Amino acid sequence: MAPTSTRFRVPTDPITRLRSRLGQISDLKDFSTDPYSAMDRLHDRNGPVSWVGTGPIRFALLLGPEANEFVLGNTDLFSWSRAFEGLVPLAGPGALLVNDGERHRRLRSLVQPAFTARAVHAHVATVRAHVDRVVDTWERADVVEVSGAFRTALRRATIQSLFGSRAVADDAPLQARLQTVHEAIDTSSLVRRVQSLGLPSWKRALAARAHVQSWVAGEIARYREAGGDPERHVLGTLLRSRDADGAGLTEDELSDQLISLLEAGAETTSSAFVWTLYEALADRRVWEALAEEVREHAPEGEELGAEHVERMDLLDRVVRETLRLHPATVVASRMTATPFRFGGHGFGPGSKIVFSPYHTHRLASVWTDPLRFDPGRWDPSGDGYRKPRPHEYLPFGGGPHRCVGAAFATLAVKTAIAQVVRRADLWLARKGAHPSGLIGMRPKEGLTVLVTGTHEANKDEEATV
């Protein structure tokens, strides 16, 4: 790897240079409108490196498994915090998302205890109960759009897992403000840069974030005034967590972690759930096989728990395949800190880099029949099984910044799917879903289903909210 201070190749001929710039501006417009198709076209045309945009919104799009491997394997070349500095007003300066280096390592070590396997298993009943509240509203022959209801339900489950059951008593205002913050985060860098100049949408997002921060501060104060809480939830774990020097999270760091988990954690979980439900219903063989597996491992009369879910091999493969085709995060960013070369291009300090798990997950050079939903590709006993390398499958990112709540989100999705399968007979009302969003990508058209039957929840399951 030969260092260089050249940020990109600049054509010497003025006409060629102008055409190149205009082309890159056109590519930026395409990427901002439809990043999914734009990445395919740019990769086909330019290979692993494409320069997109101009001026302060110029970035290099690095595509393919080799690009992922390079970026994730050379963390010293990049600055995570500089890449996400535009999100600091919404995420908070103490959030894991916007930090790197030693501070990121310290923050992660303090947050990680809240997401151990034991801690994650404790929240299964919460997820299950909030899913039941949605299913309880269905009747035979109903045609219902379910993505909005489950987004609310899984966000509510996240709130309860973070702060305890009292926190969901009147959460509608909080949910509305979290949605406002998410909509500001889930935009392209071009749109966000324009918004941050002072547009009303940005001001609304900042005001919503301030309200969420005030709400979180109130929950922290109530927890302390009560001298703790018998419920096992994330807030209590974070307050008790200590680093090697015996120090815990500062007040601002604690607040920023909780807000990030409220916003990003709930969005990624609900979007992954909706896509999994869509894919399972799109192939009746998959849905019926899931129903059989759920009946086998969680018989009627037994309360669905983590021990049941973890025995469901087909469910695991269905979720893995869903996250391959529909990863929650479409693209990830870095900012160059040290000069380097990749793919025949030079990158100097300050170059913005964007790479894409979504694009890699759909490459024919990596996956057989990549656009086909095939849970069987994850079956180790299958003839066509091939374990992907780490840089080929990145549903929750990779490297030191891999999502700290990945295990929580995955188990929540599995629990929610298993409980829906257990409680309802559904048919997909419409196929051909199109993706929307860059963070928490979800079906643009929502998800509409026909309810052909429902089953009562167990009495002990009903009592957990």
Side-chain angles (χ1 to χ4, degrees), residues 15-45:
I15 300 299
T16 303
R17 188 162 60 243
L18 176 61
R19 287 175 177 168
S20 176
R21 292 292 191 193
L22 291 175
Q24 289 162 5
I25 293 171
S26 177
D27 291 338
L28 177 63
K29 177 178 177 293
D30 291 344
F31 184 84
S32 299
T33 304
D34 181 3
Y36 323 102
S37 299
M39 287 189 287
D40 288 339
R41 290 195 299 271
L42 290 169
H43 186 256
D44 289 344
R45 188 181 75 197

Side-chain angles (χ1 to χ4, degrees), residues 275 278 282 428 430-435 443-445:
W275 280 117
Y278 169 82
L428 191 63
R430 177 177 58 190
K431 292 186 179 182
H434 300 91
K444 184 177 182 180
E445 306 85 354

Side-chain angles (χ1 to χ4, degrees), residues 386-404:
R386 183 188 72 86
K387 183 178 180 180
R389 292 181 290 175
H391 53 277
E392 295 174 339
Y393 184 64
L394 302 162
F396 294 102
H401 283 88
R402 186 177 186 271
C403 176
V404 71

Side-chain angles (χ1 to χ4, degrees), residues 72 75 80 96 104-105 108 334 398-403:
L72 297 175
T75 56
W80 179 281
L96 275 170
H104 177 267
R105 286 188 286 274
R108 191 175 180 93
R334 300 287 190 274
H401 283 88
R402 186 177 186 271
C403 176

Side-chain angles (χ1 to χ4, degrees), residues 10 43 52 58 81 85 104 124-125 151 246 329 338 357 387 397 405:
V10 180
H43 186 256
V52 179
R58 182 178 176 81
S81 58
E85 61 186 2
H104 177 267
V124 165
R151 173 186 248 168
T329 301
T338 302
K387 183 178 180 180

Side-chain angles (χ1 to χ4, degrees), residues 305-324:
E307 68 280 7
H308 299 106
V309 173
E310 291 186 340
R311 290 199 297 265
M312 298 179 187
D313 293 336
L314 176 60
L315 177 61
D316 179 71
R317 296 196 292 269
V318 167
V319 171
R320 286 177 184 271
E321 180 69 348
T322 298
L323 292 173
R324 182 186 70 82

